[in-house]
Amino acid sequence: MDDALGAGDDVTLRLTRDQALVLSDWLDRMEGADAFARVVDDPAVWSALHRISGTLDKGLSEVFAPDYTERLRAARERLVEELGEEFVREAGGKPDAPGT
């Protein structure tokens, strides 16, 4: 099989700042949860999860801001509005996530 990417090549993911902030918070909450550890059944996946989480934490000064909770809440609201609450309901999510 002729792969376009070699094993050592990097892949770039692009997220909006709101998406990055919400994902960073979610990963932070999930990575320590026993239930999440049971869902991630492939040890190799942890390598990518830790890399993503670390990259987000380093790139987001908001996680250290005194008004972090407010910024996170506002980011969630914007993203839910962008998706539409009907999509959120159909996907089984809740517009107001834990911790906000």
Side-chain angles (χ1 to χ4, degrees), residues 23-96:
L23 181 58
S24 173
D25 177 72
W26 183 82
L27 283 171
D28 186 57
R29 288 184 287 115
M30 292 298 112
E31 284 182 319
D34 290 338
F36 189 64
R38 287 190 298 274
V39 170
V40 181
D41 61 349
D42 181 350
V45 172
W46 286 105
S47 174
L49 289 173
H50 288 302
R51 172 69 61 98
I52 291 167
S53 182
T55 300
L56 290 171
D57 288 348
K58 283 191 266 181
L60 293 168
S61 59
E62 292 91 338
V63 298
F64 304 108
D67 62 344
Y68 169 74
T69 302
E70 175 58 28
R71 291 179 189 213
L72 180 60
R73 184 198 57 74
R76 281 194 175 113
E77 285 179 5
R78 287 188 293 270
L79 291 172
V80 167
E81 184 178 319
E82 182 181 299
L83 285 172
E85 289 194 28
E86 183 178 340
F87 173 84
V88 173
R89 277 192 300 278
E90 288 176 6
K94 299 174 190 150
D96 297 322

